[in-house]
């Protein structure tokens, strides 16, 4: 088998459904499998998978064992030559995996490959490509300066070597993953992707950023930015430095103190809900129940057009549109003022999207 897609899920049933539908299309011409590890979700994620995706290998954990352990469990069951560690709050394009396989099959000494990620507003996510957060760089990041933290030396659409990739999307040979011991289970959530990237580099492999394919990552779902996030993130950084950057007692004390100071002065960001004056939906069959839910005049279009007014809610019907075309259009329209995007998955009775990395996304059922 060529590819195993590992998806660790916790309590994001609707985003998971959208993700799985996109993955099924993307692997239809590949010898591949999908493995979902559910970390004891209180919602009906598992029931949904059994009903809608019977071919998926579902592993139901009886507790929330965290990101690292959950993914390691999934990998232990994987049969593929390659692994894709994928967040459940992502949407892949139809050719994402075929492009990556064509790329990785030409490389020797390959470590982890990441791709271009955009958020729910179509904006590029800079954590798609990062530098090793050595103490000086990380402390500046924690205090609000992230210039050296991200790999800005590489263009967004480029392909090239980078040091650190993001755990929302990691493409790697299973052999390499196992050689370095997979994700370190000392990390519950956050920091484990930095750690794995660094372990792979130290083992002598080359990590790559592949900017020629784009994946949507609705960050607010699995990485909600609240006080618990800050505590876990800074705690993960402590684990990382203790593991990889031991120097002496004085050095460690300075690092821990700086992290604690950064945590204490960090302000919680404010989120302002976007409001839309117009609604445009790309579909050839607008359900009456959705029309009633939206309660606004709706402009129906069957083809993507670049020209829409500002302050518009844009809904894409994935029953008639290719995901790649939607992603490209989101990236273009994201340059306009107050454009909000929602996706209507094929054969589903809901639309969803996310406008912020610090709050949950919006799901409208109809």
């Amino acid at each position: 088998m060529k590819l195993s897609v590992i998806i660790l899920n916790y309590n994001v049933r609707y985003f998971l459904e959208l993700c799985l539908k996109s993955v099924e299309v993307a692997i239809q011409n590949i010898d591949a499998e999908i493995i979902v590890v559910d970390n004891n979700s209180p919602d009906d994620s598992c029931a949904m998978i059994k009903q809608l995706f019977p071919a998926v290998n579902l592993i139901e954990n009886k507790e929330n064992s965290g990101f690292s352990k959950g993914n390691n469990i999934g990998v232990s069951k994987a049969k593929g030559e390659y692994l894709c560690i994928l967040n459940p709050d992502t949407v892949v394009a139809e050719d994402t995996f075929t492009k990556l396989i064509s790329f990785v099959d030409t490389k020797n000494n390959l470590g982890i490959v990441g791709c271009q990620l955009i958020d729910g507003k179509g904006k590029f996510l800079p954590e798609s490509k990062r530098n090793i957060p050595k103490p000086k760089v990380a402390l500046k990041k924690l205090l609000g300066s992230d210039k050296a933290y991200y790999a800005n030396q590489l263009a967004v659409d480029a392909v090239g070597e980078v040091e650190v990739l993001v755990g929302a999307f990691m493409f790697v040979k299973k052999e390499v993953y196992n050689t370095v011991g997979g994700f370190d289970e000392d990390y519950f959530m956050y920091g484990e992707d930095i750690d794995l990237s660094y372990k792979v580099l130290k083992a002598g492999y080359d990590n790559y950023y592949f900017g020629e394919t784009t994946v949507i990552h609705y960050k607010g779902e699995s990485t909600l930015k609240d006080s618990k996030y800050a505590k876990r993130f800074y705690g993960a950084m402590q684990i990382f430095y203790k593991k990889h950057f031991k120097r002496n007692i004085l050095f460690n004390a300075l690092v821990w103190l700086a992290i604690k100071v950064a945590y204490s002065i960090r302000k919680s960001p404010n989120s302002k809900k976007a409001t839309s004056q117009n609604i445009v939906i790309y579909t050839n069959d607008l359900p009456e129940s959705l029309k009633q839910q939206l309660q606004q005049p709706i402009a129906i279009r069957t083809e993507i057009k670049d020209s829409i007014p500002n302050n518009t809610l844009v809904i894409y019907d994935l029953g008639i549109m290719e995901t790649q075309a939607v992603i490209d259009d989101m990236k273009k329209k994201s340059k306009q003022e107050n454009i909000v995007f929602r996706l209507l998955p094929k054969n589903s009775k809901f639309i969803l999207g996310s406008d912020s990395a610090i709050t949950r996304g919006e799901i409208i059922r109809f």
Side-chain angles (χ1 to χ4, degrees):
M1 183 173 287
K2 193 68 173 180
L3 174 64
S4 297
V5 181
I6 314 294
I7 302 172
L8 178 68
N9 177 70
Y10 179 71
N11 205 35
V12 288
R13 174 253 189 270
Y14 291 98
F15 284 88
L16 176 63
E17 180 179 334
L18 172 61
C19 176
L20 287 171
K21 286 183 174 179
S22 74
V23 172
E24 279 195 333
V25 174
I27 65 171
Q28 61 185 353
N29 295 318
I30 303 170
D31 183 16
E33 65 179 349
I34 305 171
I35 299 172
V36 174
V37 182
D38 185 80
N39 264 350
N40 199 28
S41 297
D43 63 12
D44 65 337
S45 291
C46 293
M48 178 273 294
I49 293 171
K50 292 172 185 176
Q51 179 184 356
L52 301 181
F53 304 95
V56 167
N57 183 355
L58 173 63
I59 301 171
E60 298 181 66
N61 288 340
K62 300 306 179 186
E63 62 179 3
N64 186 350
S65 54
F67 183 91
S68 295
K69 186 173 182 179
N71 275 295
N72 287 343
I73 290 171
V75 171
S76 71
K77 304 296 183 182
K79 301 173 185 175
E81 176 188 359
Y82 289 100
L83 309 170
C84 180
I85 306 298
L86 186 68
N87 266 33
D89 55 349
T90 57
V91 184
V92 302
E94 290 84 357
D95 61 356
T96 289
F97 296 129
T98 54
K99 278 186 173 180
L100 279 164
I101 289 171
S102 295
F103 171 72
V104 300
D105 278 348
T106 67
K107 294 294 180 182
N108 296 317
N109 205 47
L110 186 71
I112 303 170
V113 181
C115 68
Q116 183 181 158
L117 300 179
I118 60 171
D119 64 16
K121 296 201 75 174
K123 303 288 188 182
F124 174 68
L125 291 170
E127 60 265 32
S128 301
K129 48 186 177 69
R130 290 173 285 174
N131 299 314
I132 295 171
K134 295 178 180 178
K136 184 177 179 180
V137 172
L139 294 178
K140 287 183 178 180
K141 161 71 173 171
L142 297 177
L143 292 168
S145 176
D146 55 20
K147 185 177 181 180
Y149 183 76
Y150 300 118
N152 296 318
Q153 68 273 14
L154 200 61
V156 170
D157 297 323
V159 176
E161 291 187 36
V162 294
E163 293 172 329
V164 176
L165 288 314
V166 65
F169 187 103
M170 285 182 152
F171 200 92
V172 61
K173 270 193 172 183
K174 184 179 180 182
E175 179 184 1
V176 173
Y177 187 94
N178 288 335
T179 295
V180 300
F183 285 115
D184 188 333
E185 295 180 12
D186 285 344
Y187 300 87
F188 182 84
M189 183 178 285
Y190 313 117
E192 61 285 301
D193 51 357
I194 299 173
D195 184 87
L196 182 63
S197 298
Y198 192 53
K199 288 195 299 184
V200 168
L201 288 177
K202 290 203 302 182
Y205 298 100
D206 302 317
N207 293 338
Y208 277 85
Y209 169 76
F210 186 78
E212 294 181 3
T213 189
T214 303
V215 169
I216 303 171
H217 180 207
Y218 295 109
K219 286 185 62 177
E221 297 313 297
S222 56
T223 56
L224 190 63
K225 299 297 186 291
D226 56 13
S227 60
K228 290 182 180 179
Y229 158 80
K231 185 175 181 180
R232 283 177 175 167
F233 179 81
Y234 296 137
M237 288 297 95
Q238 288 180 333
I239 295 171
F240 181 74
Y241 291 122
K242 184 176 181 180
K243 180 178 177 182
H244 296 292
F245 289 91
K246 287 184 178 180
R247 294 293 190 275
N248 53 53
I249 294 176
L250 178 60
F251 176 85
N252 288 337
L254 289 174
V255 172
W256 303 161
L257 177 61
I259 290 175
K260 289 181 183 297
V261 169
Y263 175 63
S264 66
I265 67 174
R266 178 185 174 93
K267 294 181 179 179
S268 297
N270 295 318
S271 174
K272 184 179 180 181
K273 183 176 176 59
T275 56
S276 303
Q277 298 173 358
N278 315 284
I279 298 178
V280 171
I281 180 167
Y282 295 103
T283 186
N284 56 16
D285 184 20
L286 175 63
E288 183 63 29
S289 53
L290 175 58
K291 184 177 179 180
Q292 292 174 359
Q293 281 277 74
L294 296 173
Q295 296 182 340
Q296 281 182 253
I298 300 171
I300 299 176
R301 299 181 182 178
T302 56
E303 295 181 2
I304 289 178
K305 304 290 185 182
D306 288 337
S307 177
I308 63 168
N310 293 332
N311 304 304
T312 295
L313 166 62
V314 181
I315 303 172
Y316 302 99
D317 180 354
L318 296 179
I320 67 164
M321 305 191 68
E322 290 190 349
T323 305
Q324 182 61 66
V326 170
I327 290 172
D328 290 341
D329 196 54
M330 287 176 63
K331 289 162 75 171
K332 290 178 182 177
K333 287 182 169 62
S334 69
K335 299 177 176 62
Q336 292 185 233
E337 183 180 345
N338 194 24
I339 302 296
V340 176
F341 302 108
R342 298 290 181 266
L343 302 186
L344 169 57
K346 185 178 181 179
N347 298 326
S348 294
K349 292 292 185 180
F350 63 88
I351 61 172
L352 57 69
S354 178
D355 309 319
S356 170
I358 62 174
T359 57
R360 295 292 186 195
E362 181 180 59
I363 301 163
I364 297 177
R365 292 171 287 273
F366 60 89

